[in-house]
Amino acid sequence: MTEQAAVFDPAQASARRSMLLLSLGALLGLAVAGYGLFTAKGTRSRSVPPEAVAIVNQRPILRSDFMTQTQVQFQVPYAQSTAEQRHRVLQDMINEELMVQRGLEMDLPSYDPDVRSALVAGVELEVTADVLARQPTEDELRQYYAAHSDRYSTEGVMRLRDLVTADPTVAAAAVSELRAGKPLDAVMLRHALKDSGKFMKAGQVDTDDLYQFAVRAKLDDPLFQAAQSLQSGQVSDPIKQADGVHLLFMVAHRLAVAQSFEQSRARVWNDLKQQAQSQVREANLRYLRGRADILVAADFPQ
């Protein structure tokens, strides 16, 4: 009997038949295992875990997020929302997840500035979450205040005129007359002094009280430093600038007043939290830079 005939004769031993049966058994086992893997209850591929309301390409939509979204979107407690409202929210969240996944497939974060900004903000929020949640103790607040007490004062208020002339001699004469007590308007008229135009409001010279930070924004450093030293009714020495010789006349000056810890407690709390956030953010960037491979072009500063 030939080997081929022996394969189909159960009364005859056949190595070929044995190998064939073993192969068929292996294939059948793999098929059963595969079916069980993709259809068995409790597997992620075929069922939704208890903490989720849906699975989108193996990414869960959490029940907590779904309930929060329903309450926010319809302004009702979740228990009072209707089946129709819940269906709408779920479909919206599924659509959103699909769009997010598609954006990642397209590598949208690499070139869209809005997406990049959102990612940066999200990472920073995640990194500083513990800092935001932690409440500073009373001792920490007082220690921070003691170390930075010069920051905490009321904002100074100024009402001043910035006058300018092209002639240093005229400027010196005007300063002398103002210090002698002559009226500002008369001195301006006598010496043809003009306002510099730095303080304007609705096309006219602004003669209202201004917070010190607003004055700082309008004057360059030499003029602002001169203004800070003036009391009400005083005039500065002539100050030479590119557009002429300036003299500052302080109509009224209410100086900044230091605040106690109790008065500035809210600002101290905010400043301490911001400092802690900044420290955590910088530490995270140092860590990320430390494990990154960064190459900078030779013609750019390192």
Side-chain angles (χ1 to χ4, degrees), residues 120-282:
V120 171
V123 171
E124 288 191 346
L125 183 61
E126 182 70 22
V127 168
T128 60
D130 290 341
V131 174
L132 291 171
R134 181 179 176 277
Q135 299 301 312
T137 65
E138 190 73 9
D139 286 343
E140 289 173 330
L141 291 173
R142 289 186 177 276
Q143 289 174 9
Y144 187 89
Y145 170 80
H148 305 91
S149 58
D150 56 315
R151 297 182 183 177
Y152 302 106
S153 60
T154 60
E155 187 68 42
V157 175
M158 298 180 181
R159 191 189 324 150
L160 77 163
R161 301 289 293 274
D162 177 24
L163 309 176
V164 64
T165 178
D167 189 339
T169 304
V170 170
V175 168
S176 296
E177 292 180 15
L178 289 170
R179 287 176 177 172
K182 292 188 177 180
L184 175 63
D185 290 340
V187 174
M188 289 181 63
L189 182 61
R190 174 181 175 81
H191 296 286
L193 299 177
K194 296 181 179 180
D195 278 281
S196 67
K198 296 180 183 292
F199 297 92
M200 302 296 291
K201 182 178 179 181
Q204 297 182 340
V205 176
D206 186 0
T207 57
D208 293 336
D209 290 343
L210 295 174
Y211 283 116
Q212 185 168 299
F213 68 84
V215 176
R216 182 191 296 271
K218 294 176 182 292
L219 298 178
D220 59 20
D221 192 62
L223 291 175
F224 179 73
Q225 294 301 326
Q228 276 191 306
S229 64
L230 297 176
Q231 302 295 324
S232 298
Q234 291 184 335
V235 61
S236 70
D237 291 331
I239 304 170
K240 190 174 181 180
Q241 297 274 288
D243 60 341
V245 182
H246 289 247
L247 38 132
L248 300 171
F249 183 80
M250 185 64 67
V251 179
H253 190 181
R254 188 165 70 246
L255 299 175
V257 178
Q259 292 181 310
S260 67
F261 170 76
E262 287 72 20
Q263 292 173 316
S264 54
R265 191 179 191 283
R267 289 177 58 195
V268 173
W269 185 93
N270 186 65
D271 290 347
L272 180 57
K273 296 283 280 188
Q274 287 187 349
Q275 176 181 278
Q277 285 180 262
S278 178
Q279 291 172 343
V280 170
R281 188 181 299 112
E282 290 174 3

Side-chain angles (χ1 to χ4, degrees), residues 39 62 85 90 98 107 117 147 159 164 168 238 283:
T39 62
L62 298 178
Q85 289 173 333
L90 180 56
L98 289 171
D107 197 21
S117 297
R159 191 189 324 150
V164 64

